[in-house]
Amino acid sequence: MPRVYFDIEALAAAEDTGMSAPALRGRMLTLLHPLFAAKPHTYALAIPTGRQAVCDRGGGALRVFASSRDDLDALAASLSGLPWMRDYARLHYPASVPENYAGAWVAFRRYRVPSLKSDRRTGAEAGQLRQRRMQTVQKEKMDYFIVSSKTTEQRFTLAVRRESGSPPQAECLPNSYGLCSAHNVFCVPDLP
């Protein structure tokens, strides 16, 4: 259950780092991913909409939810030891979700866009699914991350679909990116 959270904000970006907002957020997600994987189902990720102005200036922000302050403190301790986080990001002070929170709830779900290599169709149909999915990402203006895989050493785009929903009625089980999946849908508070 998402009870506490903190924001991670990429410091002013473009001129200092030469990285776009999706690349900055992707760098943060790349650093968070192994920490999330080390403590399965503990941390949920959100992309605050109120931070759009920061994103427009070239930075980006992510929000991490947990059910306990101890879990957030452990994550903050791990992040503070990473040189990139120390130099290019700021961890905001943890806050609690208000007990009587009556605002909107939102789910963040990975939206898969297949690569051309994974497409089993041939001929005129080859690549059409990828093209349709990319058009959906653009049409819905989904947030996305440019992520580097340590395992395959490849860069890929991870698109995230934002869906309105209701407060979780059961245990939240975020995946190793902190997102919900088709089998484990849950929502987090859509706080500004």
Side-chain angles (χ1 to χ4, degrees), residues 40-43 170-176 179-181 183-186:
H41 312 308
T42 303
Y43 303 108
E171 186 177 9
C172 299
L173 300 173
N175 65 19
S176 60
L179 304 171
C180 62
S181 64
H183 302 294
N184 293 309
V185 178
F186 62 88

Side-chain angles (χ1 to χ4, degrees), residues 52-137:
Q52 189 59 43
V54 175
C55 295
D56 290 344
R57 289 196 304 265
L62 298 177
R63 179 167 291 154
V64 179
F65 285 94
S67 60
S68 79
R69 177 67 190 264
D70 288 344
D71 288 330
L72 272 188
D73 289 345
L75 182 63
S78 296
L79 290 172
S80 65
L82 302 174
W84 191 92
M85 293 297 281
R86 184 188 62 230
D87 295 341
Y88 295 107
R90 178 180 336 143
L91 294 179
H92 289 247
Y93 196 79
S96 297
V97 175
E99 287 291 328
N100 58 352
Y101 178 73
W105 292 76
V106 63
F108 292 91
R109 186 189 312 207
R110 182 176 184 177
Y111 184 78
R112 293 194 182 270
V113 178
S115 68
L116 286 174
K117 275 182 148 180
S118 68
D119 192 347
R120 287 181 262 165
R121 297 177 189 205
T122 58
E125 293 184 6
Q128 287 187 355
L129 176 60
R130 174 179 168 77
Q131 188 175 12
R132 280 195 310 271
R133 296 251 173 138
M134 288 180 69
Q135 288 171 345
T136 301
V137 169

Side-chain angles (χ1 to χ4, degrees), residues 7-21 23-29 31 54 57-62 79-92:
D7 289 346
I8 306 171
E9 184 177 346
L11 300 178
E15 64 271 7
D16 294 332
T17 64
M19 298 172 74
S20 66
L24 279 169
R25 288 192 308 254
R27 182 69 179 138
M28 289 190 282
L29 186 61
L31 297 173
V54 175
R57 289 196 304 265
L62 298 177
L79 290 172
S80 65
L82 302 174
W84 191 92
M85 293 297 281
R86 184 188 62 230
D87 295 341
Y88 295 107
R90 178 180 336 143
L91 294 179
H92 289 247

